[in-house]
Amino acid sequence: MRVTFPHMGNLYIPLKAMLNYLEVDVVVPPPSSKKTLNLGVKHGPEFACMPLKLNLGNFIEAREMGADTIIMAGGCGPCRFGYYAQIEHAILKDIGCDMQLIVLEPPEKNISELIVKMKKITGSRSWWQVIQAIRFGYQKALAVDEMEKTAFQVRPREAKPGATDRAFSEALTLIDNAASQVELAEARKKADTIMAGVARKHGAPVVRIAVIGEIYTLLEPFSNHRLERHLGLLGVEVDRSIYLSEWVNDHLLFGLVKNLRSSKDACASASPYLCHFVGGHGQETVGSAVNYALAGYDGIIQVYPFTCMPEIVAQSILPGVGSDYDIPILTLIMDEHTGEAGLQTRLEAFIDLLARRKETREAVNR
Amino acid sequence: MKVGIPRALLYYYYYPMWRTFFEELGAEVVLSSPSTRVTLTQGLKHAVDEVCLPVKLFFGHVLDLTGKVDFIFLPRMVSVEHRKYICPKFLGLPDMIRRLDGLPDLIGVDVNLYRKNRDLYTAINKVGSLFTGNKFKIFRAYRNSVKTLQKYCRLLQMGLMPAEALAVLENNVGDKPLGYPLEMNVAVIGHPYNIYDPYISMNLVGRLKEMGANVLTAEHVPEKILRSNAARLPKKLFWSLGHRMIGAAYHYLDRQDISGVVHVAAFGCGPDSMTGELIERHARALRAPFLNLTLDEHTGEAGIVTRLEAFLDMVRWKKAEAAGL
């Protein structure tokens, strides 16, 4: 059994670590690229959202590398993601990529369904080993997120353009290569030093923007045209409404780890704008917008894939948040036709607006 | 008191029930006018570009009611059956509508039967108590409204279209002779609010009839058959309407007397993009005549007519071929 899984940003690092810990043979698909997307667009349904098309492309590319089993998460709606695996499987079968599919989702009748599926992956390993593997994976997720947060801080202030990117990818490789808990602790230390070593310039005015929206387009840089990097290079300090480790904690560890931002807080802040969950991260998006406005951010960017239902609900409601809290909100919708140049122009215009607003406000306050 | 009901979305499923319920409680029910260019334009102006066509139209119908009624009935339809949802946009609809200016009061209540059926009664009581403090009266109104709904569903299963079934319920059927049997049967699969709204669907059902095809829809299939056909999917579908459409499509594709299937999707509809794919794959595997129509605010009438004509030509050729002509 050679196992593969879809890409979602740096998810591959903790997932690979976890599966390797269980001695499962893993095939990480090549990073999502234009080719991946083209494969997905060619074989996927036209109006499906972009994550489905990219998943599909990932699987086809992994198949070429010898993978024969897919691990996917599932769900029970109302967002389309809950039916991804089944549709993707049917499509793969039709184009002659017959792969075994293991969908981990909330069991319909009783927990034994889930356990049977888990056993397919873990084989004869004991539950203790499984728990250790999850712990190891989670620690990697935390380490990756830490590096990412540092990169968000450093990038707008870097003295030499591109220095942060180089340091960041070096740090990621270190974390990815750590094979045990001890090695990981060492890798973390080294990675910290590398990130701290990026030369910074002083006195650059920095605008703060929060990026919110649908989780896949937020976490997968290919799907958002490396939005956060663009913002950073334009001198913007970025924060993102959801990080990998937070998502894992909320959805897979049932909130076991305390002192982490959780989706519950975001949902609580969404009222009175959106008083009910709408699937996906729609309610979290509205709530995070409120939280970021209260935290004094200069602007908010919502990102989601074309036709994403929960985010469309959020988009309809966000103008209310924007006018109540006096904060500009830009919505960016990603699909296979989105071009990088157009995105760049819109970002520059948005940042100009924010910078000017900030200047006027500071002049008035002075 | 006047209660307004928008002639859109789940109106096509539940209007007879809602109407009976409110009238039993002594309220006057006002429907928004049938969809027109104006309704849609109003909706387009006030909804964000990205929402699907039926939701845009719903905005228009709500705006049509403003100034005419004391209340607008706008329940949050989260789930109408165990372990199934409608669609994320229905879950957020009341919050999207509330942003409009100058609306009358909204009767908003969460209808959520995802976990258990009993929860419906809580919602009903909440709505009823706006009109009367008499619990027994609310209960009787509820009982009668359910009876009306059952009658409506039976009429649909006899092969009537929603508008015809409503006419029977309201006792205003004209004295017209019944039409002759048409030369072939075509199944039209789509969300009720897309295929039964004559403006949005460009009178799809009427046109097919004029072209000589008898039209069958998901509402004509008994619940049990729908369910057993939808159970052929590898995983249970978690959208009530999508589940219905899949069950009906699979059922009709198996039937020898059905000559072809038309799938109607709204542009930007999430569930349609998935269920449409499943239905199309199934139809292709069976080599059945299949037409996929995507509707949006820019859809032109001429394009639809041409495609329908071409589809029916294909169906006729196939029939002739099968008959050895």
Side-chain angles (χ1 to χ4, degrees):
Chain A
M1 187 170 78
R2 304 196 70 194
V3 174
T4 190
F5 46 79
H7 268 298
M8 183 167 83
N10 297 318
L11 175 69
Y12 73 96
I13 296 177
L15 249 180
K16 192 174 88 180
M18 199 181 89
L19 291 168
N20 278 339
Y21 200 98
L22 292 169
E23 292 157 39
V24 176
D25 198 0
V26 181
V27 178
V28 178
S32 294
S33 64
K34 197 84 206 160
K35 185 188 160 209
T36 319
L37 184 58
N38 284 341
L39 282 170
V41 168
K42 185 174 163 199
H43 300 292
E46 186 183 356
F47 292 115
C49 34
M50 193 178 47
L52 186 143
K53 297 174 188 171
L54 281 171
N55 279 185
L56 198 58
N58 287 150
F59 295 149
I60 297 173
E61 286 184 314
R63 174 76 183 171
E64 285 164 9
M65 292 169 66
D68 56 17
T69 304
I70 296 169
I71 306 184
M72 265 289 275
C76 46
C79 153
R80 263 176 283 187
F81 176 71
Y83 222 80
Y84 265 31
Q86 282 72 20
I87 298 248
E88 286 163 355
H89 194 223
I91 295 170
L92 287 172
K93 214 169 165 183
D94 277 5
I95 57 173
C97 288
D98 209 351
M99 292 162 91
Q100 193 194 351
L101 175 75
I102 301 174
V103 193
L104 298 176
E105 55 190 337
E108 204 165 277
K109 289 201 182 71
N110 53 40
I111 191 84
S112 63
E113 282 172 46
L114 189 65
I115 292 175
V116 168
K117 284 179 191 163
M118 295 269 292
K119 275 283 162 213
K120 264 194 201 162
I121 307 167
T122 59
S124 58
R125 254 73 61 179
S126 71
W127 286 109
W128 176 245
Q129 267 173 306
V130 174
I131 291 168
Q132 285 300 312
I134 293 174
R135 223 181 89 156
F136 185 50
Y138 183 70
Q139 278 168 346
K140 281 212 174 180
L142 272 179
V144 168
D145 284 349
E146 223 167 77
M147 294 307 128
E148 200 151 39
K149 279 177 199 164
T150 318
F152 288 159
Q153 296 289 322
V154 178
R155 203 174 276 129
R157 299 180 174 89
E158 65 189 7
K160 233 197 273 158
T164 317
D165 288 339
R166 272 193 297 278
F168 182 49
S169 79
E170 218 176 299
L172 277 190
T173 317
L174 275 176
I175 293 169
D176 190 18
N177 289 339
S180 67
Q181 309 240 8
V182 183
E183 279 183 47
L184 180 60
E186 236 170 80
R188 261 175 114 154
K189 254 186 232 154
K190 263 194 214 157
D192 276 339
T193 333
I194 292 174
M195 291 305 285
V198 179
R200 307 177 195 203
K201 60 181 177 216
H202 293 283
V206 172
V207 173
R208 289 203 302 164
I209 292 181
V211 187
I212 60 176
E214 189 272 335
I215 180 163
Y216 184 90
T217 26
L218 276 183
L219 293 185
E220 174 58 54
F222 175 76
S223 75
N224 61 33
H225 292 277
R226 296 187 294 173
L227 170 69
E228 287 143 350
R229 186 175 164 274
H230 276 298
L231 287 169
L233 293 179
L234 290 166
V236 174
E237 192 180 304
V238 182
D239 192 28
R240 190 204 284 152
S241 64
I242 194 155
Y243 291 91
L244 201 54
S245 54
E246 290 168 2
W247 179 78
V248 171
N249 186 34
D250 275 341
H251 295 270
L252 303 178
L253 307 181
F254 309 105
L256 216 61
V257 183
K258 303 294 171 208
N259 304 326
L260 263 191
R261 201 166 47 171
S262 90
S263 63
K264 262 192 209 135
D265 307 335
C267 290
S269 307
S271 175
Y273 299 99
L274 181 55
C275 316
H276 200 283
F277 82 95
V278 289
H281 286 82
Q283 203 180 12
E284 281 93 330
T285 296
V286 175
S288 309
V290 172
N291 286 343
Y292 279 121
L294 288 173
Y297 274 74
D298 300 304
I300 293 174
I301 296 180
Q302 183 201 14
V303 193
Y304 71 82
F306 185 55
T307 75
C308 170
M309 302 176 282
E311 292 300 325
I312 290 175
V313 174
Q315 188 199 356
S316 313
I317 289 163
L318 281 177
V321 179
S323 64
D324 284 359
Y325 290 92
D326 190 30
I327 184 165
I329 302 177
L330 172 72
T331 296
L332 296 174
I333 303 166
M334 303 294 172
D335 72 358
E336 58 260 38
H337 308 297
T338 311
E340 198 154 338
L343 185 74
Q344 178 86 13
T345 315
R346 295 185 65 189
L347 290 182
E348 280 169 15
F350 188 61
I351 294 165
D352 274 354
L353 167 89
L354 298 184
R356 203 159 310 152
R357 269 171 59 101
K358 200 169 179 164
E359 248 170 53
T360 347
R361 196 170 300 164
E362 275 162 13
V364 170
N365 287 345
R366 215 172 281 144
Chain B
M1 257 194 297
K2 284 185 183 169
V3 175
I5 294 180
R7 198 191 288 257
L9 297 183
L10 291 180
Y11 153 86
Y12 293 96
Y13 275 162
Y14 297 121
Y15 172 62
M17 176 178 184
W18 292 339
R19 181 185 168 141
T20 311
F21 183 70
F22 286 120
E23 286 186 346
E24 289 264 326
L25 293 177
E28 186 190 336
V29 173
V30 180
L31 255 183
S32 58
S33 341
S35 312
T36 57
R37 175 93 249 156
V38 180
T39 330
L40 184 58
T41 315
Q42 281 289 319
L44 292 177
K45 216 175 0 183
H46 291 91
V48 291
D49 285 344
E50 279 71 25
V51 298
C52 55
L53 183 67
V55 169
K56 286 175 181 162
L57 192 70
F58 188 84
F59 271 70
H61 280 282
V62 168
L63 289 165
D64 182 71
L65 286 168
T66 51
K68 294 183 191 166
V69 293
D70 305 307
F71 290 105
I72 291 182
F73 183 50
L74 186 75
R76 191 193 299 274
M77 302 297 275
V78 177
S79 162
V80 295
E81 56 187 318
H82 187 60
R83 306 283 266 160
K84 284 196 189 70
Y85 292 105
I86 310 261
C87 139
K89 282 172 205 155
F90 282 73
L91 272 63
L93 193 60
D95 296 300
M96 284 153 61
I97 295 286
R98 259 189 297 125
R99 294 195 6 88
L100 297 174
D101 290 327
L103 286 188
D105 284 341
L106 301 179
I107 303 182
V109 58
D110 292 4
V111 176
N112 187 353
L113 312 187
Y114 191 78
R115 284 180 207 288
K116 46 184 193 278
N117 251 322
R118 264 214 317 276
D119 293 348
L120 175 63
Y121 204 64
T122 334
I124 294 218
N125 260 323
K126 214 170 146 194
V127 177
S129 59
L130 290 173
F131 298 89
T132 170
N134 185 341
K135 290 268 181 241
F136 176 70
K137 209 170 160 191
I138 298 175
F139 180 71
R140 202 177 51 197
Y142 165 65
R143 279 276 302 276
N144 288 337
S145 68
V146 169
K147 266 186 212 153
T148 317
L149 183 66
Q150 284 166 346
K151 215 190 275 176
Y152 177 68
C153 289
R154 273 202 301 274
L155 288 169
L156 291 180
Q157 279 172 20
M158 282 166 62
L160 296 186
M161 289 292 161
E164 296 163 341
L166 274 179
V168 173
L169 280 183
E170 287 164 9
N171 229 344
N172 59 8
V173 184
D175 271 348
K176 269 182 282 175
L178 289 172
Y180 291 106
L182 296 156
E183 56 168 315
M184 60 182 147
N185 294 320
V186 169
V188 174
I189 304 295
H191 282 121
Y193 40 79
N194 291 327
I195 56 180
Y196 299 131
D197 188 312
Y199 177 73
I200 286 302
S201 71
M202 318 231 164
N203 192 20
L204 176 72
V205 174
R207 260 180 227 284
L208 280 169
K209 278 189 180 161
E210 278 164 28
M211 294 174 186
N214 185 30
V215 175
L216 291 106
T217 66
E219 280 64 51
H220 299 155
V221 186
E223 198 63 38
K224 228 167 132 188
I225 298 180
L226 286 178
R227 219 170 278 175
S228 68
N229 275 289
R232 286 150 66 178
L233 288 175
K235 173 185 173 180
K236 224 164 81 186
L237 208 59
F238 41 70
W239 298 301
S240 288
L241 304 185
H243 186 253
R244 236 187 139 81
M245 283 156 58
I246 289 267
Y250 281 16
H251 166 71
Y252 284 132
L253 282 168
D254 275 356
R255 258 169 64 171
Q256 292 304 315
D257 61 328
I258 304 290
S259 318
V261 172
V262 181
H263 179 251
V264 181
F267 182 74
C269 171
D272 277 353
S273 72
M274 307 293 265
T275 52
E277 176 77 11
L278 290 170
I279 295 172
E280 189 169 347
R281 276 179 186 276
H282 195 73
R284 214 185 299 150
L286 294 173
R287 306 180 58 80
F290 180 84
L291 171 67
N292 192 21
L293 287 178
T294 303
L295 303 171
D296 73 0
E297 57 265 37
H298 311 295
T299 308
E301 203 166 324
I304 294 282
V305 174
T306 314
R307 297 190 61 194
L308 282 180
E309 281 172 353
F311 173 70
L312 289 185
D313 280 348
M314 177 173 75
V315 171
R316 287 191 183 104
W317 285 332
K318 214 167 165 183
K319 277 180 84 172
E321 202 182 14
L325 294 172

